[in-house]
Amino acid sequence: MDMAVVKKNIRWDFSIDNEFSTPNRRTGYTFVIDQFAASPQLALYRIGPYSSHTDFLEKQPPQELLIKALSEQCIAPTEDGLFKINQELRHWIEDHLLKY
């Protein structure tokens, strides 16, 4: 994935909670925590006009940051799903993935 394209089209304000609630949704990219089988990973979330897709990132933040973001949202370690990142993860993404 070309991170220059991602950076140009990032949607930090995107909420997966109400993703399909508006008829004319804006396309772009955001980042989410994808947790499956108690294993959280940072994923790039591609927002299309009619659907979305996640891609796991090769470079991952420390597990402690992911776990902290989930615990702030009261997400159990056994709960599967896609979850919001916090401000600390956003800073990590900006410093480690979007600087070029």
Side-chain angles (χ1 to χ4, degrees), residues 9-72:
N9 296 290
I10 196 81
R11 302 243 349 261
W12 294 116
D13 62 341
F14 181 77
S15 172
I16 57 176
D17 297 333
N18 57 7
E19 173 177 8
F20 296 102
S21 64
T22 59
N24 300 319
R25 68 192 215 145
R26 290 178 33 220
T27 60
Y29 299 91
T30 196
F31 293 90
V32 297
I33 301 169
D34 190 339
Q35 180 163 269
F36 177 72
S39 178
Q41 292 189 56
L42 184 64
L44 180 64
Y45 195 75
R46 186 178 60 211
I47 309 156
Y50 305 107
S51 65
S52 299
H53 177 77
T54 57
D55 290 308
F56 291 113
L57 299 165
E58 190 173 313
K59 186 172 187 175
Q60 289 286 314
Q63 280 289 299
E64 299 82 36
L65 290 180
L66 296 168
I67 292 167
K68 180 180 178 188
L70 292 172
S71 68
E72 288 173 357

